[in-house]
Amino acid sequence: MNAHLADLTGTLARMDGKCSLIHAWGMKLATVLENGGRLLACGNGGSAAEAQHLTAELVGRFRKDRRPFAAIPLHADGSSVTAIANDFGIEEVYARQVRAHGRPGDVLVALSCSGTSPNVLAAARAAQQAGLAVWALTGPAPNALAALSDEAVAVPSPDTSTVQEVHLVLIHMLCSATEEALT
């Protein structure tokens, strides 16, 4: 078997114990969204793409036709990102948006393969201060983001591409559980 496929399949097998947590997140997220709350999501690079994938599934649909839900990928507003980075520094680019868009009871999903991205950590701190739940998808634990978050799923692989691929699986599981709870 190809080495990457072997790492991916082995890592996925070790994630089986996290299925109940992802399902619980879906149940909680459905309640938040049904009650008018929103999901904010952030990450850098591939994790930003995955944050946007998650929000697209909620604003659009995953499997079932349903009403759209409020979900914002914090990296996707280029004008805000560049203005905040210019005026306040790159470490504030997500935290400032969390303070603008987040409300008590909302959810921040923070993605970081390393678990050490300063701007993602700042977003998690801002979210906690604003009364949001903070859920993290990270690479191997221990890491700062997992420790800072209310709940975290740490993917036990040293390979960034494997971590990102497993994050996408977890995102799809979260979307499935959310839609299941909504019906």
Side-chain angles (χ1 to χ4, degrees):
M1 176 181 277
N2 173 280
H4 181 73
L5 288 176
D7 181 42
L8 179 58
T9 57
T11 302
L12 284 169
R14 290 191 301 276
M15 298 307 300
D16 194 48
K18 296 298 181 179
C19 291
S20 60
L21 178 58
I22 296 298
H23 190 265
W25 285 4
M27 299 296 113
K28 292 175 193 174
L29 183 57
T31 299
V32 169
L33 297 172
E34 278 286 286
N35 291 324
R38 66 191 75 165
L39 176 124
L40 308 179
C42 66
N44 296 304
S47 294
E50 298 212 2
Q52 191 164 356
H53 188 113
L54 169 59
T55 60
E57 301 286 21
L58 295 172
V59 174
R61 70 177 175 100
F62 181 59
R63 290 193 174 108
K64 299 176 182 177
D65 287 333
R66 52 157 171 78
R67 73 178 181 90
F69 292 107
I72 303 169
L74 298 180
H75 73 282
D77 179 354
S79 296
S80 290
V81 167
T82 57
I84 294 166
N86 185 63
D87 294 345
F88 300 97
I90 194 69
E91 288 187 19
E92 279 295 302
V93 76
Y94 296 139
R96 191 157 180 89
Q97 292 182 79
V98 167
R99 291 184 202 102
H101 301 299
R103 303 291 179 264
D106 288 349
V107 175
L108 172 69
V109 173
L111 295 97
S112 173
C113 292
S114 67
T116 62
S117 302
N119 57 358
V120 176
L121 292 169
R125 285 189 290 274
Q128 287 179 330
Q129 291 167 355
L132 282 74
V134 179
W135 301 339
L137 297 177
T138 74
N143 63 67
L145 182 58
L148 180 62
S149 299
D150 297 312
E151 296 179 303
V153 175
V155 176
S157 173
D159 184 63
T160 298
S161 60
T162 297
V163 172
Q164 289 174 336
E165 290 161 346
V166 173
H167 283 177
L168 183 56
V169 170
L170 297 170
I171 285 167
H172 285 157
M173 290 171 57
L174 175 59
C175 291
S176 181
T178 302
E179 283 190 348
E180 176 187 317
L182 293 167
T183 58

